[in-house]
Amino acid sequence: MAASRRRRSRRITLAATVAAVALTAGLTTGCDAVNKALDCVQTAEAVADSVTDLQQAVENASNDPTQIDESLAAIDQNLDEIGDKTDNTDVNQAVDHLDQAVSNVRTAVKNGDETPDLSPVTDAAGELTKVCTP
């Protein structure tokens, strides 16, 4: 009878240990996903702020043309951060779209366009914000 109780006790202990490990792994994975989503949202917000700065820089280009380059560089840096933190296909696609839009603005400015079309940049930034929202 005592041996039977010990086996049952060991099984219960083993089952409890396995359950605890599974629960911990699940919580860790869940927290990791939440942290990645928060990183994405925070960086998407930084991108949105940079896009706003870019819009203001274009409006003020006659006063300080270097502001456009600085705003584009800030967006590039934020996009690099997002790309490094995620393996989500939708986020990466949104980052690629925004990167292409920024590149197009940079080319337009380099070619002398003082008022480049920023609508593709704002659209792509909105797409990024949308896919980063949990």
Side-chain angles (χ1 to χ4, degrees), residues 69-128:
D69 287 333
E70 290 171 7
S71 296
L72 292 171
I75 294 171
D76 284 337
Q77 180 180 359
N78 291 327
L79 292 177
D80 288 343
E81 287 180 27
I82 292 175
D84 292 343
K85 292 180 181 178
T86 186
D87 57 358
N88 182 292
T89 304
D90 293 334
V91 172
N92 285 330
Q93 187 175 30
V95 166
D96 290 344
H97 289 160
L98 185 51
D99 188 44
Q100 183 59 52
V102 167
S103 179
N104 291 344
V105 168
R106 184 173 277 117
T107 299
V109 168
K110 189 180 275 188
N111 291 336
D113 188 350
E114 294 179 8
T115 56
D117 181 14
L118 299 181
S119 60
V121 174
T122 56
D123 291 346
E127 178 187 352
L128 178 61

